Amino acid sequence: MTSSTIKPAAKRIHQIIKLKPEHYEAYKDCHAKVWPEVLQRIKGSHIEDYSISYDSSTGILFASFKYTGTNFEEDMEAVRQDAKTREWWNMTDGYQESLNPGAVSSEMGGVNGTPAWWKELEEVFYVA
C-alpha cells in the first residue's frame, strides 16, 4: 500500500444547539425527510456517520459526524455555498437558538469572524 492510497484518519466533530420547544415536531418532521440535495452535498463534502440527538429535559440538540476528506475548510465552504443547503438552513435555523454569543446563522457561521451557529464541543474520550 503506497502513501497515496492511505485514507486519512477521520476527524470527529461534535456540536450542540438549543431547539426552541415549540418547533420540536417541525424539526423532527423535516429531518425525517431531509431533502436529497442536502444529503448529496453532505456526502459530497466527506461527511459520514452523521447523527443528531435530542435531550428533551434541556432542549439541546447534539450532532456528531465524521469528516473523512483532506481539506475540511474547503469542503465546509462547498456546503456553505450550496444553494439548497442554504435554503435548508434558512428553515432549520428558525427552529434553533445558538449557544454561541453573537452567532447569526448557519450560513454566516465562521464568516468574517462571526461565531459558528452550532457550538463545537471538545471530545474528551473515544474508544473504537
Side-chain angles (χ1 to χ4, degrees), residues 48-78:
E48 300 178 9
D49 199 18
Y50 192 171
S51 68
I52 300 175
S53 302
Y54 177 66
D55 178 12
S56 61
S57 68
T58 62
I60 297 294
L61 292 168
F62 172 79
S64 178
F65 63 88
K66 293 178 187 173
Y67 173 72
T68 59
T70 57
N71 190 329
F72 184 75
E73 290 76 21
E74 184 177 285
D75 281 329
M76 295 308 101
E77 184 60 24

PDB file of all heavy atoms in Angstrom, residues 48-78:
ATOM      1  N   GLU A  48     -19.613  11.828   7.054  1.00  0.00           N
ATOM      2  CA  GLU A  48     -20.166  10.483   7.222  1.00  0.00           C
ATOM      3  C   GLU A  48     -20.633  10.278   8.657  1.00  0.00           C
ATOM      4  O   GLU A  48     -20.253  11.040   9.549  1.00  0.00           O
ATOM      5  CB  GLU A  48     -19.095   9.431   6.894  1.00  0.00           C
ATOM      6  CG  GLU A  48     -18.563   9.507   5.483  1.00  0.00           C
ATOM      7  CD  GLU A  48     -17.464   8.488   5.201  1.00  0.00           C
ATOM      8  OE1 GLU A  48     -17.230   7.600   6.049  1.00  0.00           O
ATOM      9  OE2 GLU A  48     -16.831   8.601   4.149  1.00  0.00           O
ATOM     10  N   ASP A  49     -21.416   9.247   8.847  1.00  0.00           N
ATOM     11  CA  ASP A  49     -21.844   8.831  10.187  1.00  0.00           C
ATOM     12  C   ASP A  49     -22.418  10.009  10.970  1.00  0.00           C
ATOM     13  O   ASP A  49     -22.067  10.244  12.119  1.00  0.00           O
ATOM     14  CB  ASP A  49     -20.653   8.197  10.922  1.00  0.00           C
ATOM     15  CG  ASP A  49     -21.076   7.350  12.103  1.00  0.00           C
ATOM     16  OD1 ASP A  49     -22.259   6.958  12.171  1.00  0.00           O
ATOM     17  OD2 ASP A  49     -20.233   7.093  12.975  1.00  0.00           O
ATOM     18  N   TYR A  50     -23.324  10.753  10.323  1.00  0.00           N
ATOM     19  CA  TYR A  50     -23.885  11.984  10.871  1.00  0.00           C
ATOM     20  C   TYR A  50     -25.172  11.659  11.625  1.00  0.00           C
ATOM     21  O   TYR A  50     -26.063  11.007  11.097  1.00  0.00           O
ATOM     22  CB  TYR A  50     -24.178  12.943   9.712  1.00  0.00           C
ATOM     23  CG  TYR A  50     -24.497  14.379  10.069  1.00  0.00           C
ATOM     24  CD1 TYR A  50     -24.584  15.334   9.072  1.00  0.00           C
ATOM     25  CD2 TYR A  50     -24.725  14.800  11.368  1.00  0.00           C
ATOM     26  CE1 TYR A  50     -24.878  16.666   9.357  1.00  0.00           C
ATOM     27  CE2 TYR A  50     -25.007  16.117  11.664  1.00  0.00           C
ATOM     28  CZ  TYR A  50     -25.084  17.042  10.655  1.00  0.00           C
ATOM     29  OH  TYR A  50     -25.378  18.344  10.949  1.00  0.00           O
ATOM     30  N   SER A  51     -25.264  12.122  12.856  1.00  0.00           N
ATOM     31  CA  SER A  51     -26.496  11.938  13.624  1.00  0.00           C
ATOM     32  C   SER A  51     -26.779  13.189  14.444  1.00  0.00           C
ATOM     33  O   SER A  51     -25.865  13.947  14.769  1.00  0.00           O
ATOM     34  CB  SER A  51     -26.394  10.719  14.548  1.00  0.00           C
ATOM     35  OG  SER A  51     -25.452  10.942  15.571  1.00  0.00           O
ATOM     36  N   ILE A  52     -28.054  13.397  14.742  1.00  0.00           N
ATOM     37  CA  ILE A  52     -28.482  14.470  15.635  1.00  0.00           C
ATOM     38  C   ILE A  52     -29.394  13.831  16.674  1.00  0.00           C
ATOM     39  O   ILE A  52     -30.337  13.125  16.325  1.00  0.00           O
ATOM     40  CB  ILE A  52     -29.241  15.591  14.886  1.00  0.00           C
ATOM     41  CG1 ILE A  52     -28.358  16.220  13.801  1.00  0.00           C
ATOM     42  CG2 ILE A  52     -29.719  16.661  15.883  1.00  0.00           C
ATOM     43  CD1 ILE A  52     -29.073  17.250  12.932  1.00  0.00           C
ATOM     44  N   SER A  53     -29.097  14.084  17.949  1.00  0.00           N
ATOM     45  CA  SER A  53     -29.888  13.560  19.053  1.00  0.00           C
ATOM     46  C   SER A  53     -30.484  14.732  19.830  1.00  0.00           C
ATOM     47  O   SER A  53     -29.978  15.845  19.767  1.00  0.00           O
ATOM     48  CB  SER A  53     -29.012  12.715  19.986  1.00  0.00           C
ATOM     49  OG  SER A  53     -28.422  11.651  19.279  1.00  0.00           O
ATOM     50  N   TYR A  54     -31.547  14.447  20.575  1.00  0.00           N
ATOM     51  CA  TYR A  54     -32.278  15.489  21.291  1.00  0.00           C
ATOM     52  C   TYR A  54     -32.446  15.114  22.751  1.00  0.00           C
ATOM     53  O   TYR A  54     -32.841  13.991  23.084  1.00  0.00           O
ATOM     54  CB  TYR A  54     -33.658  15.672  20.646  1.00  0.00           C
ATOM     55  CG  TYR A  54     -34.547  16.669  21.337  1.00  0.00           C
ATOM     56  CD1 TYR A  54     -34.225  18.021  21.362  1.00  0.00           C
ATOM     57  CD2 TYR A  54     -35.725  16.265  21.961  1.00  0.00           C
ATOM     58  CE1 TYR A  54     -35.041  18.949  21.987  1.00  0.00           C
ATOM     59  CE2 TYR A  54     -36.553  17.191  22.583  1.00  0.00           C
ATOM     60  CZ  TYR A  54     -36.209  18.521  22.595  1.00  0.00           C
ATOM     61  OH  TYR A  54     -37.017  19.440  23.208  1.00  0.00           O
ATOM     62  N   ASP A  55     -32.160  16.066  23.639  1.00  0.00           N
ATOM     63  CA  ASP A  55     -32.393  15.903  25.074  1.00  0.00           C
ATOM     64  C   ASP A  55     -33.606  16.748  25.456  1.00  0.00           C
ATOM     65  O   ASP A  55     -33.513  17.983  25.508  1.00  0.00           O
ATOM     66  CB  ASP A  55     -31.161  16.337  25.865  1.00  0.00           C
ATOM     67  CG  ASP A  55     -31.352  16.247  27.374  1.00  0.00           C
ATOM     68  OD1 ASP A  55     -32.349  15.632  27.829  1.00  0.00           O
ATOM     69  OD2 ASP A  55     -30.513  16.801  28.108  1.00  0.00           O
ATOM     70  N   SER A  56     -34.723  16.094  25.703  1.00  0.00           N
ATOM     71  CA  SER A  56     -35.964  16.823  25.971  1.00  0.00           C
ATOM     72  C   SER A  56     -35.932  17.601  27.287  1.00  0.00           C
ATOM     73  O   SER A  56     -36.653  18.582  27.441  1.00  0.00           O
ATOM     74  CB  SER A  56     -37.155  15.864  25.970  1.00  0.00           C
ATOM     75  OG  SER A  56     -37.001  14.887  26.984  1.00  0.00           O
ATOM     76  N   SER A  57     -35.086  17.206  28.223  1.00  0.00           N
ATOM     77  CA  SER A  57     -35.051  17.921  29.508  1.00  0.00           C
ATOM     78  C   SER A  57     -34.335  19.268  29.409  1.00  0.00           C
ATOM     79  O   SER A  57     -34.593  20.161  30.212  1.00  0.00           O
ATOM     80  CB  SER A  57     -34.399  17.056  30.592  1.00  0.00           C
ATOM     81  OG  SER A  57     -33.026  16.868  30.327  1.00  0.00           O
ATOM     82  N   THR A  58     -33.456  19.430  28.415  1.00  0.00           N
ATOM     83  CA  THR A  58     -32.722  20.694  28.264  1.00  0.00           C
ATOM     84  C   THR A  58     -33.031  21.397  26.942  1.00  0.00           C
ATOM     85  O   THR A  58     -32.700  22.572  26.778  1.00  0.00           O
ATOM     86  CB  THR A  58     -31.202  20.460  28.309  1.00  0.00           C
ATOM     87  OG1 THR A  58     -30.829  19.620  27.208  1.00  0.00           O
ATOM     88  CG2 THR A  58     -30.773  19.838  29.630  1.00  0.00           C
ATOM     89  N   GLY A  59     -33.627  20.673  25.998  1.00  0.00           N
ATOM     90  CA  GLY A  59     -33.870  21.230  24.668  1.00  0.00           C
ATOM     91  C   GLY A  59     -32.636  21.253  23.793  1.00  0.00           C
ATOM     92  O   GLY A  59     -32.628  21.884  22.735  1.00  0.00           O
ATOM     93  N   ILE A  60     -31.584  20.559  24.212  1.00  0.00           N
ATOM     94  CA  ILE A  60     -30.326  20.558  23.472  1.00  0.00           C
ATOM     95  C   ILE A  60     -30.345  19.492  22.374  1.00  0.00           C
ATOM     96  O   ILE A  60     -30.724  18.349  22.607  1.00  0.00           O
ATOM     97  CB  ILE A  60     -29.126  20.314  24.415  1.00  0.00           C
ATOM     98  CG1 ILE A  60     -29.009  21.435  25.438  1.00  0.00           C
ATOM     99  CG2 ILE A  60     -27.822  20.114  23.637  1.00  0.00           C
ATOM    100  CD1 ILE A  60     -28.658  22.788  24.867  1.00  0.00           C
ATOM    101  N   LEU A  61     -29.914  19.933  21.180  1.00  0.00           N
ATOM    102  CA  LEU A  61     -29.647  19.013  20.075  1.00  0.00           C
ATOM    103  C   LEU A  61     -28.146  18.744  20.071  1.00  0.00           C
ATOM    104  O   LEU A  61     -27.338  19.682  20.220  1.00  0.00           O
ATOM    105  CB  LEU A  61     -30.040  19.640  18.740  1.00  0.00           C
ATOM    106  CG  LEU A  61     -31.524  19.872  18.503  1.00  0.00           C
ATOM    107  CD1 LEU A  61     -31.731  20.769  17.280  1.00  0.00           C
ATOM    108  CD2 LEU A  61     -32.242  18.537  18.308  1.00  0.00           C
ATOM    109  N   PHE A  62     -27.760  17.495  19.917  1.00  0.00           N
ATOM    110  CA  PHE A  62     -26.361  17.090  19.869  1.00  0.00           C
ATOM    111  C   PHE A  62     -26.101  16.451  18.516  1.00  0.00           C
ATOM    112  O   PHE A  62     -26.750  15.465  18.154  1.00  0.00           O
ATOM    113  CB  PHE A  62     -26.056  16.095  20.996  1.00  0.00           C
ATOM    114  CG  PHE A  62     -24.682  15.489  20.901  1.00  0.00           C
ATOM    115  CD1 PHE A  62     -23.570  16.208  21.321  1.00  0.00           C
ATOM    116  CD2 PHE A  62     -24.501  14.217  20.390  1.00  0.00           C
ATOM    117  CE1 PHE A  62     -22.303  15.646  21.229  1.00  0.00           C
ATOM    118  CE2 PHE A  62     -23.242  13.658  20.286  1.00  0.00           C
ATOM    119  CZ  PHE A  62     -22.130  14.376  20.717  1.00  0.00           C
ATOM    120  N   ALA A  63     -25.194  17.038  17.751  1.00  0.00           N
ATOM    121  CA  ALA A  63     -24.839  16.500  16.440  1.00  0.00           C
ATOM    122  C   ALA A  63     -23.441  15.898  16.502  1.00  0.00           C
ATOM    123  O   ALA A  63     -22.553  16.425  17.182  1.00  0.00           O
ATOM    124  CB  ALA A  63     -24.879  17.601  15.379  1.00  0.00           C
ATOM    125  N   SER A  64     -23.261  14.819  15.781  1.00  0.00           N
ATOM    126  CA  SER A  64     -21.967  14.157  15.723  1.00  0.00           C
ATOM    127  C   SER A  64     -21.773  13.637  14.307  1.00  0.00           C
ATOM    128  O   SER A  64     -22.705  13.085  13.708  1.00  0.00           O
ATOM    129  CB  SER A  64     -21.941  12.999  16.725  1.00  0.00           C
ATOM    130  OG  SER A  64     -20.714  12.309  16.655  1.00  0.00           O
ATOM    131  N   PHE A  65     -20.573  13.849  13.758  1.00  0.00           N
ATOM    132  CA  PHE A  65     -20.265  13.297  12.443  1.00  0.00           C
ATOM    133  C   PHE A  65     -18.772  13.102  12.280  1.00  0.00           C
ATOM    134  O   PHE A  65     -17.976  13.619  13.071  1.00  0.00           O
ATOM    135  CB  PHE A  65     -20.827  14.169  11.314  1.00  0.00           C
ATOM    136  CG  PHE A  65     -20.282  15.571  11.221  1.00  0.00           C
ATOM    137  CD1 PHE A  65     -19.143  15.861  10.487  1.00  0.00           C
ATOM    138  CD2 PHE A  65     -20.937  16.623  11.848  1.00  0.00           C
ATOM    139  CE1 PHE A  65     -18.656  17.156  10.386  1.00  0.00           C
ATOM    140  CE2 PHE A  65     -20.467  17.920  11.753  1.00  0.00           C
ATOM    141  CZ  PHE A  65     -19.314  18.193  11.018  1.00  0.00           C
ATOM    142  N   LYS A  66     -18.423  12.349  11.255  1.00  0.00           N
ATOM    143  CA  LYS A  66     -17.021  12.140  10.914  1.00  0.00           C
ATOM    144  C   LYS A  66     -16.733  12.860   9.611  1.00  0.00           C
ATOM    145  O   LYS A  66     -17.501  12.759   8.652  1.00  0.00           O
ATOM    146  CB  LYS A  66     -16.716  10.657  10.742  1.00  0.00           C
ATOM    147  CG  LYS A  66     -16.807   9.853  12.006  1.00  0.00           C
ATOM    148  CD  LYS A  66     -16.525   8.392  11.728  1.00  0.00           C
ATOM    149  CE  LYS A  66     -16.793   7.557  12.964  1.00  0.00           C
ATOM    150  NZ  LYS A  66     -16.682   6.122  12.657  1.00  0.00           N
ATOM    151  N   TYR A  67     -15.616  13.566   9.586  1.00  0.00           N
ATOM    152  CA  TYR A  67     -15.138  14.192   8.358  1.00  0.00           C
ATOM    153  C   TYR A  67     -13.987  13.333   7.842  1.00  0.00           C
ATOM    154  O   TYR A  67     -12.997  13.127   8.551  1.00  0.00           O
ATOM    155  CB  TYR A  67     -14.673  15.631   8.602  1.00  0.00           C
ATOM    156  CG  TYR A  67     -14.027  16.208   7.376  1.00  0.00           C
ATOM    157  CD1 TYR A  67     -14.802  16.550   6.268  1.00  0.00           C
ATOM    158  CD2 TYR A  67     -12.655  16.339   7.283  1.00  0.00           C
ATOM    159  CE1 TYR A  67     -14.212  17.028   5.107  1.00  0.00           C
ATOM    160  CE2 TYR A  67     -12.062  16.824   6.134  1.00  0.00           C
ATOM    161  CZ  TYR A  67     -12.837  17.154   5.050  1.00  0.00           C
ATOM    162  OH  TYR A  67     -12.244  17.615   3.898  1.00  0.00           O
ATOM    163  N   THR A  68     -14.121  12.823   6.621  1.00  0.00           N
ATOM    164  CA  THR A  68     -13.137  11.881   6.084  1.00  0.00           C
ATOM    165  C   THR A  68     -12.344  12.438   4.904  1.00  0.00           C
ATOM    166  O   THR A  68     -11.587  11.711   4.278  1.00  0.00           O
ATOM    167  CB  THR A  68     -13.824  10.568   5.657  1.00  0.00           C
ATOM    168  OG1 THR A  68     -14.808  10.877   4.659  1.00  0.00           O
ATOM    169  CG2 THR A  68     -14.484   9.876   6.840  1.00  0.00           C
ATOM    170  N   GLY A  69     -12.510  13.710   4.607  1.00  0.00           N
ATOM    171  CA  GLY A  69     -11.784  14.316   3.499  1.00  0.00           C
ATOM    172  C   GLY A  69     -10.397  14.777   3.911  1.00  0.00           C
ATOM    173  O   GLY A  69      -9.904  14.460   4.998  1.00  0.00           O
ATOM    174  N   THR A  70      -9.778  15.572   3.034  1.00  0.00           N
ATOM    175  CA  THR A  70      -8.417  16.043   3.288  1.00  0.00           C
ATOM    176  C   THR A  70      -8.332  17.562   3.411  1.00  0.00           C
ATOM    177  O   THR A  70      -7.283  18.089   3.759  1.00  0.00           O
ATOM    178  CB  THR A  70      -7.469  15.591   2.155  1.00  0.00           C
ATOM    179  OG1 THR A  70      -7.967  16.081   0.910  1.00  0.00           O
ATOM    180  CG2 THR A  70      -7.354  14.070   2.115  1.00  0.00           C
ATOM    181  N   ASN A  71      -9.428  18.286   3.123  1.00  0.00           N
ATOM    182  CA  ASN A  71      -9.414  19.743   3.234  1.00  0.00           C
ATOM    183  C   ASN A  71     -10.737  20.191   3.854  1.00  0.00           C
ATOM    184  O   ASN A  71     -11.686  20.527   3.146  1.00  0.00           O
ATOM    185  CB  ASN A  71      -9.195  20.394   1.869  1.00  0.00           C
ATOM    186  CG  ASN A  71      -8.925  21.878   1.978  1.00  0.00           C
ATOM    187  OD1 ASN A  71      -9.419  22.553   2.881  1.00  0.00           O
ATOM    188  ND2 ASN A  71      -8.152  22.407   1.047  1.00  0.00           N
ATOM    189  N   PHE A  72     -10.783  20.192   5.178  1.00  0.00           N
ATOM    190  CA  PHE A  72     -12.004  20.478   5.914  1.00  0.00           C
ATOM    191  C   PHE A  72     -12.576  21.849   5.555  1.00  0.00           C
ATOM    192  O   PHE A  72     -13.778  21.972   5.284  1.00  0.00           O
ATOM    193  CB  PHE A  72     -11.728  20.393   7.424  1.00  0.00           C
ATOM    194  CG  PHE A  72     -12.949  20.570   8.278  1.00  0.00           C
ATOM    195  CD1 PHE A  72     -13.890  19.552   8.397  1.00  0.00           C
ATOM    196  CD2 PHE A  72     -13.158  21.749   8.982  1.00  0.00           C
ATOM    197  CE1 PHE A  72     -15.022  19.710   9.193  1.00  0.00           C
ATOM    198  CE2 PHE A  72     -14.281  21.911   9.785  1.00  0.00           C
ATOM    199  CZ  PHE A  72     -15.208  20.891   9.885  1.00  0.00           C
ATOM    200  N   GLU A  73     -11.738  22.882   5.545  1.00  0.00           N
ATOM    201  CA  GLU A  73     -12.216  24.238   5.260  1.00  0.00           C
ATOM    202  C   GLU A  73     -12.840  24.322   3.865  1.00  0.00           C
ATOM    203  O   GLU A  73     -13.900  24.932   3.689  1.00  0.00           O
ATOM    204  CB  GLU A  73     -11.082  25.258   5.408  1.00  0.00           C
ATOM    205  CG  GLU A  73     -10.629  25.473   6.844  1.00  0.00           C
ATOM    206  CD  GLU A  73      -9.764  24.334   7.400  1.00  0.00           C
ATOM    207  OE1 GLU A  73      -9.163  23.561   6.596  1.00  0.00           O
ATOM    208  OE2 GLU A  73      -9.700  24.200   8.631  1.00  0.00           O
ATOM    209  N   GLU A  74     -12.189  23.716   2.889  1.00  0.00           N
ATOM    210  CA  GLU A  74     -12.705  23.744   1.512  1.00  0.00           C
ATOM    211  C   GLU A  74     -14.037  22.999   1.406  1.00  0.00           C
ATOM    212  O   GLU A  74     -14.980  23.484   0.776  1.00  0.00           O
ATOM    213  CB  GLU A  74     -11.682  23.118   0.573  1.00  0.00           C
ATOM    214  CG  GLU A  74     -12.066  23.173  -0.890  1.00  0.00           C
ATOM    215  CD  GLU A  74     -10.976  22.589  -1.775  1.00  0.00           C
ATOM    216  OE1 GLU A  74      -9.954  23.279  -1.969  1.00  0.00           O
ATOM    217  OE2 GLU A  74     -11.145  21.438  -2.240  1.00  0.00           O
ATOM    218  N   ASP A  75     -14.126  21.843   2.044  1.00  0.00           N
ATOM    219  CA  ASP A  75     -15.369  21.073   1.987  1.00  0.00           C
ATOM    220  C   ASP A  75     -16.503  21.773   2.728  1.00  0.00           C
ATOM    221  O   ASP A  75     -17.656  21.745   2.283  1.00  0.00           O
ATOM    222  CB  ASP A  75     -15.158  19.662   2.538  1.00  0.00           C
ATOM    223  CG  ASP A  75     -14.482  18.743   1.538  1.00  0.00           C
ATOM    224  OD1 ASP A  75     -14.685  18.920   0.319  1.00  0.00           O
ATOM    225  OD2 ASP A  75     -13.756  17.826   1.970  1.00  0.00           O
ATOM    226  N   MET A  76     -16.206  22.428   3.849  1.00  0.00           N
ATOM    227  CA  MET A  76     -17.248  23.149   4.572  1.00  0.00           C
ATOM    228  C   MET A  76     -17.690  24.394   3.793  1.00  0.00           C
ATOM    229  O   MET A  76     -18.860  24.773   3.826  1.00  0.00           O
ATOM    230  CB  MET A  76     -16.783  23.531   5.977  1.00  0.00           C
ATOM    231  CG  MET A  76     -16.520  22.329   6.891  1.00  0.00           C
ATOM    232  SD  MET A  76     -17.874  21.127   7.017  1.00  0.00           S
ATOM    233  CE  MET A  76     -17.314  19.820   5.922  1.00  0.00           C
ATOM    234  N   GLU A  77     -16.774  24.999   3.052  1.00  0.00           N
ATOM    235  CA  GLU A  77     -17.138  26.138   2.207  1.00  0.00           C
ATOM    236  C   GLU A  77     -18.058  25.676   1.077  1.00  0.00           C
ATOM    237  O   GLU A  77     -18.999  26.388   0.699  1.00  0.00           O
ATOM    238  CB  GLU A  77     -15.896  26.831   1.651  1.00  0.00           C
ATOM    239  CG  GLU A  77     -16.199  28.078   0.857  1.00  0.00           C
ATOM    240  CD  GLU A  77     -16.914  29.177   1.640  1.00  0.00           C
ATOM    241  OE1 GLU A  77     -16.826  29.244   2.889  1.00  0.00           O
ATOM    242  OE2 GLU A  77     -17.588  30.012   0.991  1.00  0.00           O
ATOM    243  N   ALA A  78     -17.814  24.476   0.536  1.00  0.00           N
ATOM    244  CA  ALA A  78     -18.697  23.928  -0.501  1.00  0.00           C
ATOM    245  C   ALA A  78     -20.104  23.718   0.057  1.00  0.00           C
ATOM    246  O   ALA A  78     -21.093  23.984  -0.627  1.00  0.00           O
ATOM    247  CB  ALA A  78     -18.130  22.615  -1.043  1.00  0.00           C
TER     248      ALA A  78
END
